[in-house]
């Protein structure tokens, strides 16, 4: 898992969460008054401001850097794909209600889009707001919407279903709970504040009304931005740095690998992406029995700093041919980092943007914990599938994890001003 995950280093194309400017007027920074941080992907608040549901009075206490973060709802791509890791996440799938079809789905996506736009700006929900997020800023909230394979038959849109949305093949490591897999509709919610994230989850659920019902829902978390002395690659629940080789938005072929081109087919998926969602349980009791060298051999990287076992720092290219005095590869042939390398998988790459999860302790004392794996690619048959097939054939990590649920969703491009997500599909 660690070698193709979330980029932590910010690029010129990545949203940045910044603290309030040191320059202030009457004790309040200009940025706090505007309720935003300036960077690509972050936008200035509209006239009247929306921080904490209202514009900040002149002598209000400014929000912290966590509350100030704001992502755009409207844009070329949906939010929640290229933004950095968020501290709290909710993944939820819905099935359309009996009798609901294209008309009801369009009305639902219209409601969801209006709600997401307001909440991402730090405003109250359009109706029946619960006040859960009152006094908080946007907190880098993102809300992302996708369509499952079954959605198209339910709405009479089979001819618009992308070939890339064909069901994933079976893998030997799968132990899937079908009741917690797939779904007509999928929503990803992320924020840097737990109450802001829950507020959005509750609003989305209430908006569904009688049009759709929850099929499954999962909760996740990551390290809170600012918890470390300087930005660094995140760690997963195995203690490994997880994200060293993730594609970076600044790379010239990033869009080609992650997003459907503007000329792609079907046309409604232009600038969209495909999300593979997997609940991967980590068998932590077994993992933690391994010695440190044994854990590092499973991954192929040092646990302390993520450097390859072949030497160097975290970003040093891995030397797959380096051997010790006995002629044994220093990066084992079945090491996870070796097997998942794009150059070992026909160039296959995916943007991984996961959340960790912990759902309590089983009766035998085993933690139900692991990774809510979410990866993005222009085509899952060229991204996730070849890598997972390769892992199935001999990854050292496979004996310490179990894939328990799975889903594949078509996530259309971002909504333009005045549009709702999926409008080109549902009204095209």
């Amino acid at each position: 898992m660690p070698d193709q995950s979330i980029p932590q280093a910010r690029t010129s194309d990545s949203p940045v969460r910044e603290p309030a400017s040191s320059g202030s007027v009457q004790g309040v920074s200009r940025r706090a008054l505007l309720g935003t941080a300036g960077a690509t992907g972050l936008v200035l608040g509209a006239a009247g401001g929306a921080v904490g549901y209202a514009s900040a009075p002149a002598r209000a206490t400014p929000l912290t850097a966590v509350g100030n973060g704001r992502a755009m709802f409207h844009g070329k791509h949906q939010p929640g794909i290229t933004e950095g890791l968020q501290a709290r996440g909710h993944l939820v799938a819905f099935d359309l209600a009996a009798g609901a079809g294209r008309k009801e789905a369009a009305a639902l996506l219209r409601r969801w889009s209006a709600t997401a736009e307001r909440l991402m700006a730090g405003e109250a929900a359009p109706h029946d707001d619960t006040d859960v997020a009152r006094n908080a800023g946007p907190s880098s909230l993102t809300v992302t919407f996708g369509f499952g394979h079954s959605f198209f038959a339910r709405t009479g849109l089979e001819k618009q279903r992308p070939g890339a949305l064909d069901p994933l093949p079976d893998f030997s490591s799968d132990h899937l709970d079908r009741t917690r897999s797939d779904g007509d509709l999928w929503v990803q919610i992320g924020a840097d504040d737990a109450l802001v994230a829950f507020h959005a989850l509750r609003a989305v659920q209430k908006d569904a009304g009688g049009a759709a019902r929850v099929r499954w829902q999962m909760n996740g978390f990551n390290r809170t931005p600012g918890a470390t002395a300087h930005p660094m690659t995140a760690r997963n629940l195995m203690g490994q740095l997880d994200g060293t080789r993730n594609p970076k938005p600044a790379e010239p072929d990033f869009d080609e690998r992650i997003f459907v081109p503007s000329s792609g087919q079907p046309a409604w998926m232009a600038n969209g992406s495909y999300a593979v969602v997997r609940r991967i349980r980590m068998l932590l009791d077994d993992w933690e029995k391994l010695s440190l060298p044994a854990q590092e051999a499973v991954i192929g990287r040092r646990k302390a700093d993520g450097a390859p076992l072949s030497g160097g720092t975290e970003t040093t290219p891995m030397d797959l041919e380096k051997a010790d005095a006995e002629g044994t590869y220093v990066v084992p042939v079945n090491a996870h980092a070796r097997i998942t390398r794009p150059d070992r998988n026909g160039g296959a790459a995916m943007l991984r943007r996961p959340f960790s999860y912990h759902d309590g302790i089983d009766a035998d004392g085993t933690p139900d914990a692991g990774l809510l794996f979410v990866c993005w690619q222009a085509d899952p048959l060229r991204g996730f599938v070849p890598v997972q097939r390769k892992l199935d054939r001999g990854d050292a990590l496979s004996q310490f994890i179990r894939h328990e649920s799975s889903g594949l969703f078509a996530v259309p491009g971002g909504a333009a001003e005045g549009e709702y997500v999926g409008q080109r599909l549902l009204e095209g």
Side-chain angles (χ1 to χ4, degrees):
M1 284 172 289
D3 247 40
Q4 288 192 35
S5 189
I6 286 303
Q8 295 300 302
R10 305 298 177 187
T11 71
S12 60
D13 295 316
S14 302
V16 177
R17 301 173 189 127
E18 298 179 352
S21 169
S22 59
S24 61
V25 178
Q26 296 181 339
V28 185
S29 72
R30 181 175 183 273
R31 181 170 291 131
L33 287 170
L34 292 171
T36 186
T40 301
L42 303 184
V43 296
L44 295 179
V51 177
Y53 291 4
S55 57
R59 295 184 179 275
T61 301
L63 292 168
T64 66
V66 170
N68 261 337
R70 181 177 170 187
M72 293 191 299
F73 175 75
H74 295 292
K76 183 178 180 180
H77 310 298
Q78 285 197 61
I81 301 176
T82 59
E83 285 82 359
L85 285 173
Q86 293 147 304
R88 178 64 62 173
H90 301 293
L91 307 179
V92 54
F94 293 81
D95 286 334
L96 291 173
R102 181 174 177 177
K103 178 181 177 181
E104 290 76 16
L108 174 56
L109 267 296
R110 190 180 295 110
R111 290 195 299 274
W112 275 350
S113 296
T115 294
E117 181 178 8
R118 288 181 61 90
L119 297 186
M120 284 176 55
E123 301 173 5
H127 52 81
D128 299 325
D129 190 85
T130 61
D131 279 345
V132 171
R134 182 174 287 277
N135 308 120
S139 301
S140 300
L141 174 69
T142 60
V143 186
T144 317
F145 304 103
F147 303 105
H149 185 275
S150 55
F151 176 83
F152 297 85
R154 299 292 304 276
T155 55
L157 291 166
E158 292 98 329
K159 292 183 178 180
Q160 291 296 320
R161 183 168 56 213
L165 201 57
D166 287 348
L168 296 173
D170 294 329
F171 300 105
S172 63
S173 58
D174 286 353
H175 300 269
L176 304 183
D177 178 352
R178 296 298 178 183
T179 66
R180 293 197 295 179
S181 299
D182 303 317
D184 294 341
L185 293 157
W186 175 68
V187 184
Q188 174 192 253
I189 295 167
D192 283 337
D193 178 76
L195 287 178
V196 168
F198 175 82
H199 181 242
L201 174 66
R202 184 69 178 129
V204 164
Q205 179 193 0
K206 289 170 66 178
D207 276 349
R213 60 178 179 80
V214 173
R215 178 180 177 88
W216 54 260
Q217 193 258 314
M218 302 173 189
N219 308 313
F221 58 90
N222 285 303
R223 175 172 280 159
T224 301
T228 55
H230 54 83
M232 61 180 295
T233 307
R235 291 188 185 272
N236 60 33
L237 298 189
M238 288 179 162
Q240 299 289 150
L241 290 182
D242 195 339
T244 300
R245 289 183 57 84
N246 222 24
K248 309 294 192 295
E251 295 170 357
D253 61 348
F254 179 85
D255 280 4
E256 175 185 343
R257 300 161 89 182
I258 306 304
F259 294 109
V260 176
S262 57
S263 59
Q265 294 298 321
W268 66 268
M269 272 296 291
N271 302 313
S273 189
Y274 292 90
V276 174
V277 182
R278 311 273 282 184
R279 184 182 191 270
I280 304 176
R281 184 163 180 165
M282 294 177 172
L283 308 181
L284 294 177
D285 285 348
D286 294 336
W287 173 256
E288 291 164 4
K289 290 175 183 175
L290 296 180
S291 66
L292 176 61
Q295 289 181 351
E296 293 179 334
V298 167
I299 301 301
R301 291 182 175 275
R302 293 201 300 257
K303 193 171 185 179
D305 58 7
L309 296 184
S310 54
T313 66
E314 181 184 358
T315 58
T316 300
M318 185 174 288
D319 183 355
L320 299 181
E321 303 304 318
K322 186 174 183 178
D324 60 20
E326 287 74 39
T328 303
Y329 288 130
V330 296
V331 179
V333 294
N334 63 347
H336 185 75
R338 175 189 283 267
I339 291 175
T340 58
R341 286 172 58 97
D343 57 6
R344 294 280 164 143
N345 294 279
M350 49 195 168
L351 177 68
R352 295 182 59 228
R353 195 173 185 278
F355 293 94
S356 293
Y357 78 86
H358 179 224
D359 288 342
I361 309 295
D362 289 348
D364 62 359
T366 302
D368 183 2
L371 197 71
L372 300 182
F373 174 95
V374 182
C375 75
W376 301 89
Q377 57 263 289
D379 183 350
L381 291 178
R382 293 187 291 111
F384 173 78
V385 171
V387 175
Q388 189 59 36
R389 280 178 170 157
K390 190 79 169 289
L391 293 172
D392 251 15
R393 293 197 291 267
D395 175 32
L397 185 62
S398 62
Q399 63 182 301
F400 301 102
I401 60 175
R402 187 165 62 229
H403 293 246
E404 296 186 336
S405 68
S406 179
L408 171 61
F409 302 95
V411 176
E417 292 283 351
E419 287 186 349
Y420 62 87
V421 174
Q423 183 169 339
R424 294 165 218 173
L425 166 66
L426 291 163
E427 297 185 14

